[in-house]
Amino acid sequence: MSLSRRAFLRNSRNVLVGTLAFSNGAIALLAPSRAWSLPLNHLSEAEGDTLLKVTRYIFPHATLEDAVYALVVKDLDSAAADNTVNNLLSTGVRTLNDRSGGNWRNLGTEEQFRLVEAMAGSPFFEKIRSTAVVSLYNNELAFAHFGYQGSAGDGGYLYAGFNDLDWLPEPPLKDSGVIPT
Amino acid sequence: MSLTEKQKTFSHDDDNVVVIIGSGAGGGTLANELAQQGIDTVVLEAGALHTTADFLADEWASFNQLAWLDPRTTSGSFRLARDFSGLPAWIVKAVGGTTIHWAGASLRLQPHEFKARTTYGDIKGANLLDWPISYDDLEAYYANAEDRMGVTRTNGIGGLPGNNNFKVMHAGAQKLGYNCNTGHMAINSAPRKGRLSCQQRGFCFQGCRFGAKWSTLYTDLPEGIATGHMELRAESHVARIEHDKKGRVNAVVYFDSDGKEQRQKARVVAVAGNSIETPRLLLNSASSMFPDGLANRSGQVGRNYMRHMTGSVYATFEKPVHMYRGTTMAGIIRDEAHNDPSRGFVAGYEMETLSLGLPFMAAFLNPGAWGREFTHSMDQYAHMAGMWLVGEDMPRESNRITLNPDIKDAHGMPVANVHYDDHDNDLAMREHAFGRGEAIYNAVGALETIRTPPYPSTHNLGSCRMSARAEDGVCNSVGQSHDIPNLFISDGSQFTTSAAENPTLTIVALAVRQAENLGRMLKQGTV
Ligand SMILES: Cc1cc2nc3c(=O)[nH]c(=O)nc-3n(C[C@H](O)[C@H](O)[C@H](O)COP(=O)(O)OP(=O)(O)OC[C@H]3O[C@@H](n4cnc5c(N)ncnc54)[C@H](O)[C@@H]3O)c2cc1C
Ligand code: SF4
């Protein structure tokens, strides 16, 4: 994450901030500090925070850090440079708030979920879902969390565990092959 | 030095050249084989020229770098039309074509599959036909293809060592009495013909940086260029094929890298744009003499499009698997590939290990899904094993590539619409295959199994099929179009039926055979 404070001061008025919840998780090992912040260029802080929480309901991973969900908000914020997308997102957030009789973020989790679920299939919901299904799982932090080694595999796993599974019988050589030396 | 830097070049007015459209499995092989015979050949490839050093260990980035992203549309009841309506197929647009992204599984078709109509009978709603060639006609060319591609477990080449994903499939197969091994792969298990051996990267679908996996990009294309009889023009997108008053093709019109229209004369034109672009090009080349498109007197151009019966089964386990490490396709079970109608369907299918990285797993596991069930599966990614199911699908006249006049590409040409309805036989086969795949994983203690729907089609076949009689298809047994003697079909669109096997070995074998026949015809002046 290149969420430096300087970039925030230069580029934007709005910012989403948070703290890593799991100090010993895979992500904490990668992150330079426990605090994170995401500058927003097109969305308001309230919108950004709402979208983050909505994304958590769409793709709920109990132990996945908000910092990773924030990458979805980052991509939605970039997409909101386009007025149509901007409108779609802010109208969606407003709808959630209207249906909450004020601020959706103040509702209990069950209520919040019910209102998100009710919007499933709407263009607002689909915009978030289709962005998140890429952004949420296509970054180094997510790779660390889910146990995918990503570009670390570029040099090959030949001597780095491609066949290290040991809880099943070893296949006979005739069905497999020789490891080149 | 770049591949094309010192190559022989031919003038646009040279009407003595054979023009090949597409540089993938079919086009690249044909070009080399013609050049080896001293026949001057120009290859026009829509995509750009890359080197193995350009390949990315990043699924989405590689897809955006190499895949065919020009617009296409879809219709029909197949699920892809809903999940990926603008992306019906996964095809590469680059020098080397889809042999850059392919996994390398290289299987011969079974003899009975060349006689689909005779073997399976008259299946309602299917347009089955026997191939105009038999397995025996192709056998020597299979042997040639296996040697040139370096297929494991042929020509004394050892099998690849199995990875973790293979171990799970193998153990499950043992319990069910299936045979399972690391297959016939066009991936070097040891260095061969100047190419390195597999380093088990697991990015086979993103291009092999070590060149261990066969691709025309670093085999047939440079070999052809080295003869001094072949010119490769990258970023040359063919828009239409022209013909003379006698109805013989004599030139192709294409757009070069600057978007400028060019016209290359030709004595013969061979189309190898993969089974969506090939019929599109013939249809887009309609003229007053051929109002329904070139080579389309039968009305069969674009019809009988096949994409294989496909699906995947992923399973989760208590202990880690890390399936993404090592060859993407690492193991195969062929025991369901035969024809046994007592299973409730004709024809058969293969089971092959498959893995996706985390980004593609999210995209393909259950497109459109959200919520706990989906995230619960994703949470177990590191403990997942997976396999792909691939079987023969039924050709149908109504499964077809047509032009969509409402949508134009960057050059103003109508794009292809892909229409596909699953046949009942395809559905019954998929159900059976899902069941067997689950049984394999359950036999070794799967916690959960997941049925994953088809990905954008990687195997695209049959849309200009070969047939004994001109009214049944588009080309004859050597890929020469029935209507126009100097127009050839040189890719998977020739397939009369899809068979169960991954198609590329057969595409290459057919291209080698076509080159031999075309060479003879050119020498005898009969084309
Ligand atoms: C992820 C993946 C995995 C696969 N794994 C396997 C496997 O394990 N085994 C197997 O057998 N097969 C596999 N395949 C399929 C295999 O890649 C194809 O069967 C094979 O490459 C098809 O060869 P082709 O010559 O028909 O087309 P391609 O190899 O696709 O080549 C067609 C070329 O034509 C070019 N072209 C198209 N239209 C034009 C035009 N108008 N002008 C100029 N150029 C044009 C395209 O840019 C492309 O480069 C896989 C495919 C994918 C995507
Ligand atoms: S696993 Fe082997 S074949 Fe596949 S990309 Fe890596 S080195 Fe190449």
Side-chain angles (χ1 to χ4, degrees), chain B residues 178 309-313 336 343 345 348-351 387-391 426-440 451:
Chain B
Y178 282 136
M309 177 298 295
T310 64
S312 304
V313 174
E336 298 288 356
R343 290 175 299 185
F345 55 89
Y349 61 88
E350 314 276 349
M351 295 181 263
M387 72 168 81
W388 195 49
L389 309 161
V390 52
D426 309 341
L427 298 174
M429 185 192 289
R430 182 176 293 132
E431 190 59 28
H432 191 271
F434 273 145
R436 299 315 292 160
E438 289 167 342
I440 286 169
R451 296 181 172 198

Side-chain angles (χ1 to χ4, degrees), chain A residues 1 3 8 14 20 40 63 68-69 81 90 92 100 102 113 117 120 123-124 146 151 165 176 181:
Chain A
M1 271 191 304
L3 312 180
F8 151 59
N14 299 320
L20 295 186
L40 297 170
T63 59
V68 186
Y69 287 92
S90 43
S100 312
F113 175 74
E117 192 183 25
F124 169 68
F146 290 100
S151 62
L165 185 152
S176 183
T181 45

Side-chain angles (χ1 to χ4, degrees), chain B residues 22 24-26 45-46 90 92 94 97-98 102-105 236 238 273-274 491 502-504:
Chain B
E45 166 55 55
W90 180 348
V92 169
T98 317
W102 81 313
S236 299
V238 179
N274 204 323
D491 58 14
N502 314 56
T504 307

